[in-house]
Amino acid sequence: MKNLLLICFAVLLCACNQGKKKQQTVETSSTVSEKQSEDFDWLLGQWKRLDEEVGQDTFENWEKINDSEYSGIGFTIQDGDTISQEKIRLLKVANHWNLNVKAPGEEHWTIFNGTNHNSNSFVCENTEIEFPNRIKYWIDEYTLHALVSGSDMEIAFEFEKLN
């Protein structure tokens, strides 16, 4: 009887250890996925807005500076003149990503703190300014989407890749 109890205890102990090994494997896999999701290379290139007003063309151009910085510029052209422009930076700060935006004439960057990102999207927020409070970028197939939103308004953008 004593031997039977020892055998049962040994089997139970082995079963518990197998469960821990599986849990460690799952945790390691999710850590690898998180590291892979820090690649925003899907932003790279020249993009043209699809849903623009007649007579205007809006573009965003993105380049990778290094593993912790992406740099972009967004601009709108009407009748051959640039009517709006903003510099955009996606920067890794500590262990999260921030989106920084600066228009000509502005002294400082407006910082949107990263709240969520994965392998094909990111969301950044700044509740201290009037508009926008939230910026979301995502890609599906060949279309880049951006949504800027505030309390009562949102503006959606769709871009096609030019190169």
Side-chain angles (χ1 to χ4, degrees), residues 5-6 22-23 36 43 45 48 59 66 92 94 98 106 113 124 128 135 143:
L5 283 174
L6 282 173
K22 286 181 183 176
Q23 183 178 359
Q36 289 173 346
L43 278 173
K48 182 178 180 182
F59 301 90
N66 55 48
K92 187 171 185 180
N98 290 340
E106 291 182 349
N113 296 308
C124 298
E128 296 177 13
I135 299 175
T143 305

Side-chain angles (χ1 to χ4, degrees), residues 139-154:
I139 193 163
D140 62 25
E141 301 259 344
Y142 305 106
T143 305
L144 178 66
H145 302 270
L147 181 66
V148 295
S149 57
S151 58
D152 295 332
M153 181 173 40
E154 63 181 35

Side-chain angles (χ1 to χ4, degrees), residues 86-99:
E86 60 186 10
K87 293 180 181 178
I88 316 163
R89 292 174 26 194
L90 186 59
L91 293 169
K92 187 171 185 180
V93 179
N95 286 322
H96 66 280
W97 289 84
N98 290 340
L99 186 70

Side-chain angles (χ1 to χ4, degrees), residues 97-162:
W97 289 84
N98 290 340
L99 186 70
N100 298 354
V101 180
K102 184 176 180 185
E106 291 182 349
E107 188 175 341
H108 302 286
W109 291 86
T110 301
I111 299 171
F112 294 84
N113 296 308
T115 59
N116 187 17
H117 70 274
N118 60 37
S119 62
N120 63 353
S121 71
F122 65 86
V123 177
C124 298
E125 297 180 351
N126 182 335
T127 57
E128 296 177 13
I129 60 174
E130 191 172 321
F131 184 86
N133 302 120
R134 185 173 193 259
I135 299 175
K136 178 180 181 181
Y137 274 83
W138 72 98
I139 193 163
D140 62 25
E141 301 259 344
Y142 305 106
T143 305
L144 178 66
H145 302 270
L147 181 66
V148 295
S149 57
S151 58
D152 295 332
M153 181 173 40
E154 63 181 35
I155 303 169
F157 298 84
E158 288 187 347
F159 296 91
E160 67 179 340
K161 195 164 194 175
L162 296 179

